[in-house]
Amino acid sequence: MSAPAPASAAPALHDARPIGVFDSGIGGLTVARAVNQLLPQERLVYFGDTAHLPYGDKSTAAIQAYSVKICDVLLRQHCKVILIACNSASAAAYELVREYVGSKAQVLNVIDPIVRHIGQHYAGREVGLIGTKQTVGSNVYRKKLDALDRDIRLHALATPLLAPMVEEGFVRGAVSQSVINTYLSDPALTDIEALVLACTHYPLIREQIEEYYRGQIDVLDPSAIVAEALRELLQAHGLAAPAAVRPPQHHFYVSDFTPSFAESTRLFFGQEVNLEHYPLWE
């Protein structure tokens, strides 16, 4: 006669369900690309809310409404994790999304992993941050860094022209360099030792930002840091996908389709991506 099963089973070692990733547009594809590089066996379902971009100048209530609606889409796709690949949505809607999703999926934002990284490596130092009006205005980075009590002095600057500039493909050239230089020369960023790119669009202009600083400061791209945090979350909860013989088939949705977005996705994801139109409000 076989022994009875234990009262509480250990978490599953593998989970083939997809990871849901969303952003106000296609900027979050920089995070999705980092996830794909670090965790090639994981299947991704990406939602870019291009009908409402940018989130950076929207109200908190509007961002929360969009985020909940997108979560419905991702939960219907049976996503095991929902990654909010947008700083503005992470600042405005993370707690609401966690409450809304409940036990259906794990939820990860792009703010907490970078805050933890800064706390570990920049205690007692001057750290700059550039992001949207929503992200900077929320003071979420400052509050979380202050809570660490590591004497990190944050210099935050809203840079509202950068995300739409990148979204339109202006990532190299005189126009983008002029806008970048104007922002980075702002007195608010004087004497910093590191700069956080607090918008998922900004990794595409990282080289130009690094050129401006000529190696004098650390430019922190959250994409790889967030991908590593996702790997830790998957391992902690027994949610990692099994090894696959062939790469998984990712799905990419946008709430408003235009040919320019289809072209730009190659820049953000690093390879050809087929976008599917998925209107949120129909």
Side-chain angles (χ1 to χ4, degrees):
M1 193 170 176
S2 60
S8 59
L13 293 176
H14 297 298
D15 191 324
R17 290 178 297 162
I19 294 168
V21 183
F22 80 88
D23 180 41
S24 61
I26 54 178
L29 285 171
T30 58
V31 177
R33 177 179 61 186
V35 170
N36 187 55
Q37 290 170 344
L38 184 66
L39 304 166
Q41 75 278 15
E42 298 290 345
R43 183 161 60 95
L44 304 178
V45 177
Y46 183 89
F47 196 102
D49 190 12
T50 49
H52 302 112
L53 68 85
Y55 279 5
D57 59 7
K58 301 293 190 298
S59 69
T60 296
I63 295 171
Q64 290 176 341
Y66 302 151
S67 298
V68 166
K69 191 78 172 176
I70 293 167
C71 285
D72 278 335
V73 176
L74 297 177
L75 289 174
R76 285 200 296 272
Q77 301 280 340
H78 307 291
C79 291
K80 60 188 175 185
V81 176
I82 293 178
L83 170 53
I84 307 174
C86 171
N87 278 266
S88 297
S90 292
Y94 171 61
E95 296 298 338
L96 177 66
V97 165
R98 278 187 64 192
E99 183 179 344
Y100 183 78
V101 170
S103 62
K104 299 184 187 75
Q106 297 294 319
V107 180
L108 181 66
N109 65 54
V110 292
I111 294 175
D112 288 334
I114 192 71
V115 166
R116 183 174 63 180
H117 179 85
I118 295 168
Q120 291 171 344
H121 298 281
Y122 295 93
R125 300 170 71 182
E126 311 282 338
V127 176
L129 178 146
I130 54 175
T132 66
K133 289 179 180 178
Q134 170 70 35
T135 299
V136 173
S138 73
N139 264 331
V140 63
Y141 276 95
R142 190 180 306 278
K143 292 172 186 173
K144 287 178 179 288
L145 287 170
D146 286 348
L148 295 179
D149 196 23
R150 303 297 306 277
D151 188 29
I152 297 164
R153 295 170 294 281
L154 187 68
H155 304 248
L157 177 69
T159 51
L161 292 180
L162 293 184
M165 180 185 79
V166 174
E167 195 89 28
E168 290 298 324
F170 288 94
V171 294
R172 296 294 299 180
V175 172
S176 57
Q177 193 67 63
S178 175
V179 175
I180 291 166
N181 290 357
T182 299
Y183 279 135
L184 297 182
S185 61
D186 190 285
L189 298 178
T190 301
D191 297 329
I192 61 173
E193 300 169 74
L195 180 70
V196 179
L197 306 184
C199 175
T200 51
H201 288 72
Y202 297 177
L204 287 187
I205 52 173
R206 178 179 178 176
E207 285 186 13
Q208 288 173 279
I209 292 171
E210 289 177 330
E211 286 171 11
Y212 175 86
Y213 285 112
R214 301 181 184 277
Q216 298 301 304
I217 73 159
D218 301 329
V219 179
L220 304 181
D221 174 0
S223 302
I225 296 168
V226 171
E228 182 57 44
L230 175 61
R231 176 164 66 176
E232 293 172 6
L233 183 149
L234 293 173
Q235 292 174 343
H237 293 275
L239 295 173
V245 177
R246 54 176 62 96
Q249 196 73 25
H250 306 309
H251 284 88
F252 301 89
Y253 300 101
V254 287
S255 53
D256 184 32
F257 179 83
T258 65
S260 65
F261 289 128
E263 293 170 12
S264 295
T265 52
R266 288 195 298 275
L267 286 172
F268 285 87
F269 199 66
Q271 64 189 61
E272 197 72 39
V273 170
N274 291 318
L275 296 178
E276 183 176 332
H277 185 205
Y278 194 116
L280 270 184
W281 305 101
E282 293 181 5

